[in-house]
Amino acid sequence: MIEKFDKRAKCDVRGCKRDAEYGFEVKGHGGRCLLCKQCLMELASEARQYVVPKSPVNHIKKKSEERSE
């Protein structure tokens, strides 16, 4: 989904003047959203506040489920 961007362009985040390093395809007129590394990291950290990762099945529960099958 997110790809390394090799061409010279500026980050699309408002107020950011750094060169873009990453990009992803979007619908609409622009077609692509370009981000610098710092803005990408900030976006990822903000996204983690809204999305809670699913916890992995612990080892004991996994073994008991394997035995029941």
Side-chain angles (χ1 to χ4, degrees):
M1 179 175 220
I2 297 176
E3 302 170 347
K4 187 82 169 159
F5 188 72
D6 297 332
K7 297 177 184 166
R8 188 171 177 95
K10 295 292 181 188
C11 180
D12 287 334
V13 176
R14 184 179 302 195
C16 181
K17 298 185 187 291
R18 292 181 287 271
D19 288 333
E21 296 179 39
Y22 303 95
F24 58 92
E25 300 291 325
V26 294
K27 291 182 184 178
H29 184 66
R32 182 176 285 233
C33 180
L34 302 174
L35 299 168
C36 65
K37 187 172 186 174
Q38 184 175 353
C39 289
L40 179 64
M41 293 301 161
E42 288 178 27
L43 180 67
S45 67
E46 284 187 32
R48 285 186 206 108
Q49 294 175 1
Y50 297 103
V51 180
V52 178
K54 185 178 176 183
S55 62
V57 178
N58 67 27
H59 186 69
I60 297 169
K61 187 174 180 181
K62 187 176 178 181
K63 288 292 183 185
S64 66
E65 286 178 357
E66 288 175 357
R67 287 185 202 135
S68 64
E69 291 176 355

